[in-house]
Amino acid sequence: MTTLPPLNLAGLLNDLTPLVRDAGKVIMDIYATDFDVTKKGDDSPVTAADQRAEAVILAGLQRLAPEIPVVAEEAVAAGNIPDVGERFWLVDPLDGTKEFISRNGEFTVNIALVENGRPILGLVFAPAIDRLFGGAEGLGAWVEDGDGRRAIATRAVPAEGLTVVASRSHGDESALDAFLAGRPVASRTNAGSSLKLCLVAEGVADVYPRLGRTMEWDIAAGDAVLRAAGGIVNTVAGPVLRYGKPGFDNPHFAAWGRA
């Protein structure tokens, strides 16, 4: 593990907040139109909102920290994969494209900073519901909405059992049932995009199991917020999830409210 030059994470969070909101505005401008949907090489949907929001974010990161490489979903889909060292950005300009297409509001803009395999800073913005989650290592986590900004933290599991949040668009009920077997469960709910990680971070849910394919940019920002709030993301096999893996795909994992 290399010792990297220190960063001002609080300053970065402040600088990134207007950037992630600008990307959200681009998305909402397109959301209000009769937009087209096309397919990428992996058959997943993509819209102009994904592409234009990513362009806004990439330009902003280039201004803020030109020395840090960026791994961004649409750029990777186009074959533009940078060499990453031990510090790099992970960007998903529109997580929850299926939610965007179905117009249920549960989609997010995601920017994360990874250092030595850990997500040390993250912002998750849900523009349709105007909720912005942020957090960084050593600084705690917060949510910003119509009531202002307030600190958030994970909770201890209540006596009645776990509140489980699962994917709205990518559910595998039999795998989820097997994962939860033997655990006390008080309730189960569904949500879209990286909002699931944020629900655990703010103590609304206790665990988010993901027993299907995800990419690092899908979850890194939410993972950073969750870790800053006191939680952790473990692979189903046990170890803490790490970033910068070959191909940037994740194993099955569970995001827990308490480390």
Side-chain angles (χ1 to χ4, degrees):
M1 184 182 297
T2 304
T3 300
L4 297 167
L7 292 172
N8 178 356
L9 296 183
L12 271 178
L13 274 177
N14 286 337
D15 291 341
L16 290 168
T17 295
L19 176 60
V20 77
R21 286 190 174 277
D22 286 347
K25 183 180 185 306
V26 167
I27 288 169
M28 292 309 294
D29 286 346
I30 295 169
Y31 193 58
T33 70
D34 186 19
F35 54 83
D36 292 326
V37 180
T38 56
K39 292 291 183 73
K40 293 189 282 192
D42 62 359
D43 209 36
S44 62
V46 64
T47 72
D50 301 74
Q51 297 157 341
R52 293 181 194 172
E54 183 164 298
V56 167
I57 294 168
L58 292 180
L61 293 178
Q62 178 63 27
R63 291 193 304 271
L64 289 173
E67 74 284 2
I68 302 177
V70 184
V71 177
E73 180 178 16
E74 303 312 324
V76 170
N80 300 318
I81 306 171
D83 291 327
V84 298
E86 293 175 325
R87 177 183 284 162
F88 63 96
W89 298 106
L90 278 167
V91 171
D92 189 342
L94 177 52
D95 184 41
T97 300
K98 291 181 179 178
E99 277 66 44
F100 179 82
I101 293 165
S102 66
R103 299 182 185 272
N104 71 10
E106 294 180 348
F107 49 86
T108 56
V109 182
N110 298 265
I111 302 175
L113 181 63
V114 172
E115 189 171 284
N116 292 318
R118 305 186 320 277
I120 63 166
L121 174 152
L123 285 166
V124 176
F125 180 42
I129 57 175
D130 192 26
R131 300 197 86 205
L132 172 61
F133 294 87
E137 198 170 82
L139 298 176
W142 44 262
V143 63
E144 187 174 283
D145 56 21
D147 296 323
R149 181 181 291 192
R150 60 192 178 278
I152 58 173
T154 60
R155 70 181 185 184
V157 177
E160 59 268 25
L162 297 164
T163 292
V164 180
V165 61
S167 175
R168 186 178 301 285
S169 299
H170 305 278
D172 183 337
E173 286 299 314
S174 60
L176 182 59
D177 288 342
F179 176 84
L180 295 173
R183 305 178 194 268
V185 175
S187 65
R188 286 163 61 164
T189 188
N190 296 98
S193 71
S194 53
L195 284 172
K196 294 181 288 293
L197 290 147
C198 296
L199 291 175
V200 180
E202 64 176 333
V204 174
D206 302 298
V207 61
Y208 158 43
R210 182 54 187 264
L211 308 171
R213 187 170 188 262
T214 59
M215 305 303 292
E216 292 187 3
W217 50 76
D218 293 322
I219 67 165
D223 186 352
V225 172
L226 175 59
R227 294 190 200 204
I232 196 66
V233 178
N234 292 112
T235 70
V236 169
V240 174
L241 186 69
R242 295 184 62 80
Y243 293 80
K245 301 180 291 297
F248 303 103
D249 52 332
N250 295 318
H252 295 180
F253 65 82
W256 293 95
R258 289 296 167 95

